[in-house]
Amino acid sequence: MPSVLSAFASALSARLPLMAAALWWSSGICLGFVAVPLVFQHAGSVALAARITPHLFAAQTWLALGCGAVLLLTRPREPQRQDTTLISLTALGMLLALLVQHAAAPRIAARINLPLWHTAGTLLYAGQWLCATVVLWRLARR
């Protein structure tokens, strides 16, 4: 029985980075292309939807930071196996998630120069999702 658990733990640790990248990538799709449009379509008013969506984006920020941390902590430790592109894109994606949450979202909620900050938030979110896409793609190749 201990060998089965040991084999499972080994397999899980080998696949954990791929699973974290897949969760990060898919959460971006689910939120940006499914949840938020549905909230705006069915909330009854734009004002109500605008009060709900910041909570969804905050949850996705925490998920992105958690997945990014898993990716950074589970990367190969041998110098010849380190993938600096993977590390850089993970860190950049985490930074973009923080910028969405702490730079764009408060200004959108306060309706400060709404067209500018909504566009900036959308671009930051898309950039985060693209980072997650490349990270997932690179890990899936292995």
mmCIF file of all heavy atoms in Angstrom, residues 40-78:
data_model
loop_
_atom_site.group_PDB
_atom_site.id
_atom_site.type_symbol
_atom_site.label_atom_id
_atom_site.label_comp_id
_atom_site.label_asym_id
_atom_site.label_seq_id
_atom_site.Cartn_x
_atom_site.Cartn_y
_atom_site.Cartn_z
ATOM 1 N N PHE A 40 -23.877 39.999 -17.138
ATOM 2 C CA PHE A 40 -24.421 41.224 -17.749
ATOM 3 C C PHE A 40 -25.709 40.956 -18.512
ATOM 4 O O PHE A 40 -26.574 41.828 -18.589
ATOM 5 C CB PHE A 40 -23.363 41.882 -18.646
ATOM 6 C CG PHE A 40 -22.451 42.791 -17.889
ATOM 7 C CD1 PHE A 40 -21.254 42.318 -17.362
ATOM 8 C CD2 PHE A 40 -22.791 44.114 -17.657
ATOM 9 C CE1 PHE A 40 -20.419 43.149 -16.636
ATOM 10 C CE2 PHE A 40 -21.965 44.956 -16.930
ATOM 11 C CZ PHE A 40 -20.773 44.474 -16.418
ATOM 12 N N GLN A 41 -25.858 39.748 -19.034
ATOM 13 C CA GLN A 41 -27.077 39.420 -19.781
ATOM 14 C C GLN A 41 -28.264 39.156 -18.856
ATOM 15 O O GLN A 41 -29.393 39.499 -19.182
ATOM 16 C CB GLN A 41 -26.817 38.197 -20.657
ATOM 17 C CG GLN A 41 -27.980 37.820 -21.548
ATOM 18 C CD GLN A 41 -27.643 36.630 -22.433
ATOM 19 O OE1 GLN A 41 -26.620 35.974 -22.263
ATOM 20 N NE2 GLN A 41 -28.511 36.351 -23.382
ATOM 21 N N HIS A 42 -28.013 38.574 -17.678
ATOM 22 C CA HIS A 42 -29.120 38.111 -16.848
ATOM 23 C C HIS A 42 -29.261 38.816 -15.503
ATOM 24 O O HIS A 42 -30.171 38.482 -14.743
ATOM 25 C CB HIS A 42 -28.985 36.597 -16.600
ATOM 26 C CG HIS A 42 -29.103 35.789 -17.844
ATOM 27 N ND1 HIS A 42 -30.296 35.609 -18.511
ATOM 28 C CD2 HIS A 42 -28.164 35.137 -18.569
ATOM 29 C CE1 HIS A 42 -30.096 34.871 -19.585
ATOM 30 N NE2 HIS A 42 -28.808 34.565 -19.651
ATOM 31 N N ALA A 43 -28.419 39.759 -15.193
ATOM 32 C CA ALA A 43 -28.481 40.410 -13.872
ATOM 33 C C ALA A 43 -29.693 41.318 -13.714
ATOM 34 O O ALA A 43 -30.058 41.663 -12.606
ATOM 35 C CB ALA A 43 -27.204 41.194 -13.607
ATOM 36 N N GLY A 44 -30.291 41.707 -14.788
ATOM 37 C CA GLY A 44 -31.446 42.584 -14.696
ATOM 38 C C GLY A 44 -31.107 44.045 -14.932
ATOM 39 O O GLY A 44 -31.935 44.800 -15.422
ATOM 40 N N SER A 45 -29.904 44.440 -14.560
ATOM 41 C CA SER A 45 -29.462 45.806 -14.826
ATOM 42 C C SER A 45 -27.938 45.812 -14.921
ATOM 43 O O SER A 45 -27.256 44.983 -14.322
ATOM 44 C CB SER A 45 -29.925 46.763 -13.722
ATOM 45 O OG SER A 45 -29.177 46.564 -12.545
ATOM 46 N N VAL A 46 -27.441 46.782 -15.659
ATOM 47 C CA VAL A 46 -25.988 46.939 -15.790
ATOM 48 C C VAL A 46 -25.389 47.293 -14.434
ATOM 49 O O VAL A 46 -24.298 46.828 -14.082
ATOM 50 C CB VAL A 46 -25.654 48.006 -16.856
ATOM 51 C CG1 VAL A 46 -24.177 48.328 -16.871
ATOM 52 C CG2 VAL A 46 -26.118 47.538 -18.228
ATOM 53 N N ALA A 47 -26.113 48.084 -13.638
ATOM 54 C CA ALA A 47 -25.603 48.479 -12.322
ATOM 55 C C ALA A 47 -25.411 47.262 -11.416
ATOM 56 O O ALA A 47 -24.396 47.159 -10.713
ATOM 57 C CB ALA A 47 -26.553 49.480 -11.671
ATOM 58 N N LEU A 48 -26.361 46.341 -11.435
ATOM 59 C CA LEU A 48 -26.235 45.136 -10.618
ATOM 60 C C LEU A 48 -25.079 44.264 -11.126
ATOM 61 O O LEU A 48 -24.276 43.764 -10.335
ATOM 62 C CB LEU A 48 -27.541 44.338 -10.631
ATOM 63 C CG LEU A 48 -27.533 43.019 -9.855
ATOM 64 C CD1 LEU A 48 -27.175 43.263 -8.388
ATOM 65 C CD2 LEU A 48 -28.872 42.327 -9.986
ATOM 66 N N ALA A 49 -24.982 44.095 -12.424
ATOM 67 C CA ALA A 49 -23.885 43.313 -12.998
ATOM 68 C C ALA A 49 -22.540 43.931 -12.662
ATOM 69 O O ALA A 49 -21.573 43.227 -12.355
ATOM 70 C CB ALA A 49 -24.059 43.201 -14.509
ATOM 71 N N ALA A 50 -22.486 45.256 -12.685
ATOM 72 C CA ALA A 50 -21.237 45.958 -12.375
ATOM 73 C C ALA A 50 -20.856 45.801 -10.903
ATOM 74 O O ALA A 50 -19.684 45.941 -10.561
ATOM 75 C CB ALA A 50 -21.362 47.437 -12.734
ATOM 76 N N ARG A 51 -21.822 45.509 -10.048
ATOM 77 C CA ARG A 51 -21.508 45.253 -8.635
ATOM 78 C C ARG A 51 -21.064 43.811 -8.416
ATOM 79 O O ARG A 51 -20.336 43.521 -7.473
ATOM 80 C CB ARG A 51 -22.716 45.568 -7.747
ATOM 81 C CG ARG A 51 -22.941 47.048 -7.562
ATOM 82 C CD ARG A 51 -23.876 47.362 -6.401
ATOM 83 N NE ARG A 51 -25.117 46.615 -6.377
ATOM 84 C CZ ARG A 51 -26.268 47.005 -6.931
ATOM 85 N NH1 ARG A 51 -26.325 48.164 -7.567
ATOM 86 N NH2 ARG A 51 -27.348 46.264 -6.838
ATOM 87 N N ILE A 52 -21.499 42.894 -9.278
ATOM 88 C CA ILE A 52 -21.179 41.471 -9.128
ATOM 89 C C ILE A 52 -19.817 41.129 -9.728
ATOM 90 O O ILE A 52 -19.027 40.407 -9.119
ATOM 91 C CB ILE A 52 -22.279 40.606 -9.787
ATOM 92 C CG1 ILE A 52 -23.599 40.776 -9.036
ATOM 93 C CG2 ILE A 52 -21.868 39.143 -9.840
ATOM 94 C CD1 ILE A 52 -24.790 40.171 -9.750
ATOM 95 N N THR A 53 -19.544 41.629 -10.922
ATOM 96 C CA THR A 53 -18.352 41.189 -11.651
ATOM 97 C C THR A 53 -17.020 41.474 -10.950
ATOM 98 O O THR A 53 -16.102 40.660 -11.092
ATOM 99 C CB THR A 53 -18.328 41.750 -13.084
ATOM 100 O OG1 THR A 53 -18.441 43.166 -13.055
ATOM 101 C CG2 THR A 53 -19.436 41.148 -13.914
ATOM 102 N N PRO A 54 -16.870 42.554 -10.176
ATOM 103 C CA PRO A 54 -15.583 42.725 -9.489
ATOM 104 C C PRO A 54 -15.248 41.559 -8.558
ATOM 105 O O PRO A 54 -14.089 41.208 -8.391
ATOM 106 C CB PRO A 54 -15.740 44.030 -8.706
ATOM 107 C CG PRO A 54 -16.795 44.783 -9.435
ATOM 108 C CD PRO A 54 -17.720 43.737 -9.987
ATOM 109 N N HIS A 55 -16.278 40.953 -7.970
ATOM 110 C CA HIS A 55 -16.048 39.805 -7.091
ATOM 111 C C HIS A 55 -15.564 38.593 -7.890
ATOM 112 O O HIS A 55 -14.718 37.830 -7.415
ATOM 113 C CB HIS A 55 -17.316 39.471 -6.313
ATOM 114 C CG HIS A 55 -17.795 40.600 -5.472
ATOM 115 N ND1 HIS A 55 -17.149 41.017 -4.322
ATOM 116 C CD2 HIS A 55 -18.848 41.438 -5.627
ATOM 117 C CE1 HIS A 55 -17.784 42.044 -3.798
ATOM 118 N NE2 HIS A 55 -18.816 42.326 -4.574
ATOM 119 N N LEU A 56 -16.091 38.433 -9.086
ATOM 120 C CA LEU A 56 -15.639 37.338 -9.951
ATOM 121 C C LEU A 56 -14.181 37.542 -10.357
ATOM 122 O O LEU A 56 -13.373 36.603 -10.315
ATOM 123 C CB LEU A 56 -16.521 37.243 -11.198
ATOM 124 C CG LEU A 56 -17.986 36.887 -10.974
ATOM 125 C CD1 LEU A 56 -18.758 36.993 -12.285
ATOM 126 C CD2 LEU A 56 -18.107 35.506 -10.384
ATOM 127 N N PHE A 57 -13.839 38.773 -10.736
ATOM 128 C CA PHE A 57 -12.460 39.061 -11.125
ATOM 129 C C PHE A 57 -11.508 38.944 -9.937
ATOM 130 O O PHE A 57 -10.365 38.503 -10.100
ATOM 131 C CB PHE A 57 -12.349 40.434 -11.787
ATOM 132 C CG PHE A 57 -12.829 40.439 -13.205
ATOM 133 C CD1 PHE A 57 -14.024 41.044 -13.555
ATOM 134 C CD2 PHE A 57 -12.094 39.825 -14.201
ATOM 135 C CE1 PHE A 57 -14.468 41.040 -14.857
ATOM 136 C CE2 PHE A 57 -12.528 39.811 -15.515
ATOM 137 C CZ PHE A 57 -13.716 40.414 -15.847
ATOM 138 N N ALA A 58 -11.950 39.305 -8.746
ATOM 139 C CA ALA A 58 -11.108 39.148 -7.556
ATOM 140 C C ALA A 58 -10.825 37.673 -7.289
ATOM 141 O O ALA A 58 -9.687 37.290 -6.991
ATOM 142 C CB ALA A 58 -11.773 39.801 -6.345
ATOM 143 N N ALA A 59 -11.853 36.844 -7.423
ATOM 144 C CA ALA A 59 -11.649 35.401 -7.234
ATOM 145 C C ALA A 59 -10.679 34.852 -8.272
ATOM 146 O O ALA A 59 -9.803 34.037 -7.954
ATOM 147 C CB ALA A 59 -12.991 34.671 -7.320
ATOM 148 N N GLN A 60 -10.797 35.320 -9.508
ATOM 149 C CA GLN A 60 -9.899 34.846 -10.554
ATOM 150 C C GLN A 60 -8.470 35.329 -10.308
ATOM 151 O O GLN A 60 -7.510 34.610 -10.599
ATOM 152 C CB GLN A 60 -10.398 35.296 -11.930
ATOM 153 C CG GLN A 60 -9.886 34.453 -13.085
ATOM 154 C CD GLN A 60 -8.490 34.816 -13.525
ATOM 155 O OE1 GLN A 60 -8.067 35.953 -13.405
ATOM 156 N NE2 GLN A 60 -7.776 33.841 -14.055
ATOM 157 N N THR A 61 -8.313 36.516 -9.731
ATOM 158 C CA THR A 61 -6.978 37.004 -9.387
ATOM 159 C C THR A 61 -6.322 36.082 -8.363
ATOM 160 O O THR A 61 -5.161 35.690 -8.516
ATOM 161 C CB THR A 61 -7.037 38.442 -8.835
ATOM 162 O OG1 THR A 61 -7.499 39.310 -9.867
ATOM 163 C CG2 THR A 61 -5.684 38.914 -8.347
ATOM 164 N N TRP A 62 -7.069 35.715 -7.324
ATOM 165 C CA TRP A 62 -6.520 34.809 -6.317
ATOM 166 C C TRP A 62 -6.197 33.451 -6.920
ATOM 167 O O TRP A 62 -5.168 32.844 -6.595
ATOM 168 C CB TRP A 62 -7.477 34.670 -5.137
ATOM 169 C CG TRP A 62 -7.414 35.867 -4.244
ATOM 170 C CD1 TRP A 62 -8.360 36.840 -4.098
ATOM 171 C CD2 TRP A 62 -6.325 36.240 -3.401
ATOM 172 N NE1 TRP A 62 -7.917 37.792 -3.214
ATOM 173 C CE2 TRP A 62 -6.676 37.450 -2.770
ATOM 174 C CE3 TRP A 62 -5.092 35.671 -3.124
ATOM 175 C CZ2 TRP A 62 -5.834 38.090 -1.863
ATOM 176 C CZ3 TRP A 62 -4.240 36.313 -2.226
ATOM 177 C CH2 TRP A 62 -4.619 37.504 -1.606
ATOM 178 N N LEU A 63 -7.056 32.977 -7.799
ATOM 179 C CA LEU A 63 -6.792 31.698 -8.458
ATOM 180 C C LEU A 63 -5.527 31.793 -9.315
ATOM 181 O O LEU A 63 -4.677 30.896 -9.288
ATOM 182 C CB LEU A 63 -7.994 31.292 -9.311
ATOM 183 C CG LEU A 63 -7.904 29.888 -9.854
ATOM 184 C CD1 LEU A 63 -9.244 29.200 -9.696
ATOM 185 C CD2 LEU A 63 -7.516 29.905 -11.301
ATOM 186 N N ALA A 64 -5.369 32.878 -10.054
ATOM 187 C CA ALA A 64 -4.180 33.069 -10.891
ATOM 188 C C ALA A 64 -2.921 33.130 -10.034
ATOM 189 O O ALA A 64 -1.892 32.528 -10.382
ATOM 190 C CB ALA A 64 -4.318 34.352 -11.716
ATOM 191 N N LEU A 65 -2.990 33.832 -8.912
ATOM 192 C CA LEU A 65 -1.826 33.923 -8.027
ATOM 193 C C LEU A 65 -1.490 32.562 -7.418
ATOM 194 O O LEU A 65 -0.312 32.195 -7.307
ATOM 195 C CB LEU A 65 -2.067 34.958 -6.930
ATOM 196 C CG LEU A 65 -2.183 36.404 -7.409
ATOM 197 C CD1 LEU A 65 -2.541 37.322 -6.245
ATOM 198 C CD2 LEU A 65 -0.904 36.858 -8.082
ATOM 199 N N GLY A 66 -2.501 31.816 -7.044
ATOM 200 C CA GLY A 66 -2.272 30.479 -6.491
ATOM 201 C C GLY A 66 -1.670 29.537 -7.518
ATOM 202 O O GLY A 66 -0.694 28.824 -7.231
ATOM 203 N N CYS A 67 -2.236 29.539 -8.711
ATOM 204 C CA CYS A 67 -1.702 28.681 -9.774
ATOM 205 C C CYS A 67 -0.289 29.111 -10.150
ATOM 206 O O CYS A 67 0.588 28.267 -10.366
ATOM 207 C CB CYS A 67 -2.614 28.715 -10.998
ATOM 208 S SG CYS A 67 -4.193 27.899 -10.738
ATOM 209 N N GLY A 68 -0.060 30.411 -10.222
ATOM 210 C CA GLY A 68 1.281 30.907 -10.524
ATOM 211 C C GLY A 68 2.286 30.495 -9.461
ATOM 212 O O GLY A 68 3.415 30.105 -9.780
ATOM 213 N N ALA A 69 1.885 30.568 -8.204
ATOM 214 C CA ALA A 69 2.774 30.149 -7.121
ATOM 215 C C ALA A 69 3.104 28.667 -7.232
ATOM 216 O O ALA A 69 4.268 28.269 -7.065
ATOM 217 C CB ALA A 69 2.138 30.458 -5.765
ATOM 218 N N VAL A 70 2.101 27.850 -7.529
ATOM 219 C CA VAL A 70 2.354 26.412 -7.726
ATOM 220 C C VAL A 70 3.339 26.213 -8.865
ATOM 221 O O VAL A 70 4.282 25.422 -8.762
ATOM 222 C CB VAL A 70 1.036 25.648 -7.985
ATOM 223 C CG1 VAL A 70 1.300 24.241 -8.499
ATOM 224 C CG2 VAL A 70 0.191 25.604 -6.721
ATOM 225 N N LEU A 71 3.138 26.933 -9.956
ATOM 226 C CA LEU A 71 4.044 26.799 -11.107
ATOM 227 C C LEU A 71 5.466 27.201 -10.753
ATOM 228 O O LEU A 71 6.430 26.530 -11.148
ATOM 229 C CB LEU A 71 3.533 27.630 -12.285
ATOM 230 C CG LEU A 71 2.299 27.078 -12.973
ATOM 231 C CD1 LEU A 71 1.625 28.148 -13.814
ATOM 232 C CD2 LEU A 71 2.670 25.879 -13.809
ATOM 233 N N LEU A 72 5.623 28.282 -10.027
ATOM 234 C CA LEU A 72 6.967 28.740 -9.662
ATOM 235 C C LEU A 72 7.630 27.818 -8.637
ATOM 236 O O LEU A 72 8.841 27.596 -8.682
ATOM 237 C CB LEU A 72 6.922 30.168 -9.132
ATOM 238 C CG LEU A 72 6.546 31.239 -10.158
ATOM 239 C CD1 LEU A 72 6.409 32.596 -9.484
ATOM 240 C CD2 LEU A 72 7.552 31.295 -11.292
ATOM 241 N N LEU A 73 6.836 27.265 -7.738
ATOM 242 C CA LEU A 73 7.393 26.403 -6.690
ATOM 243 C C LEU A 73 7.677 24.983 -7.171
ATOM 244 O O LEU A 73 8.473 24.277 -6.549
ATOM 245 C CB LEU A 73 6.452 26.362 -5.482
ATOM 246 C CG LEU A 73 6.328 27.680 -4.719
ATOM 247 C CD1 LEU A 73 5.217 27.597 -3.684
ATOM 248 C CD2 LEU A 73 7.651 28.053 -4.072
ATOM 249 N N THR A 74 7.033 24.558 -8.230
ATOM 250 C CA THR A 74 7.214 23.179 -8.702
ATOM 251 C C THR A 74 8.050 23.097 -9.969
ATOM 252 O O THR A 74 8.132 22.036 -10.576
ATOM 253 C CB THR A 74 5.854 22.493 -8.951
ATOM 254 O OG1 THR A 74 5.123 23.250 -9.923
ATOM 255 C CG2 THR A 74 5.054 22.378 -7.668
ATOM 256 N N ARG A 75 8.692 24.188 -10.352
ATOM 257 C CA ARG A 75 9.528 24.160 -11.553
ATOM 258 C C ARG A 75 10.748 23.277 -11.318
ATOM 259 O O ARG A 75 11.148 23.078 -10.166
ATOM 260 C CB ARG A 75 9.941 25.566 -11.957
ATOM 261 C CG ARG A 75 10.955 26.189 -11.052
ATOM 262 C CD ARG A 75 11.230 27.640 -11.448
ATOM 263 N NE ARG A 75 12.447 28.124 -10.858
ATOM 264 C CZ ARG A 75 12.579 28.522 -9.610
ATOM 265 N NH1 ARG A 75 11.533 28.490 -8.809
ATOM 266 N NH2 ARG A 75 13.726 28.948 -9.152
ATOM 267 N N PRO A 76 11.348 22.769 -12.364
ATOM 268 C CA PRO A 76 12.541 21.930 -12.197
ATOM 269 C C PRO A 76 13.657 22.691 -11.494
ATOM 270 O O PRO A 76 13.880 23.874 -11.759
ATOM 271 C CB PRO A 76 12.941 21.590 -13.637
ATOM 272 C CG PRO A 76 11.714 21.799 -14.441
ATOM 273 C CD PRO A 76 10.941 22.882 -13.752
ATOM 274 N N ARG A 77 14.365 22.026 -10.596
ATOM 275 C CA ARG A 77 15.425 22.667 -9.815
ATOM 276 C C ARG A 77 16.796 22.553 -10.485
ATOM 277 O O ARG A 77 17.695 23.284 -10.150
ATOM 278 C CB ARG A 77 15.508 22.047 -8.422
ATOM 279 C CG ARG A 77 14.247 22.272 -7.623
ATOM 280 C CD ARG A 77 14.151 23.703 -7.166
ATOM 281 N NE ARG A 77 12.951 23.879 -6.360
ATOM 282 C CZ ARG A 77 12.186 24.920 -6.426
ATOM 283 N NH1 ARG A 77 12.445 25.891 -7.250
ATOM 284 N NH2 ARG A 77 11.127 25.021 -5.661
ATOM 285 N N GLU A 78 16.941 21.610 -11.414
ATOM 286 C CA GLU A 78 18.226 21.461 -12.089
ATOM 287 C C GLU A 78 18.417 22.612 -13.067
ATOM 288 O O GLU A 78 17.529 22.898 -13.861
ATOM 289 C CB GLU A 78 18.307 20.138 -12.857
ATOM 290 C CG GLU A 78 18.007 18.914 -12.034
ATOM 291 C CD GLU A 78 16.520 18.606 -11.980
ATOM 292 O OE1 GLU A 78 15.795 18.912 -12.937
ATOM 293 O OE2 GLU A 78 16.085 18.075 -10.952
#
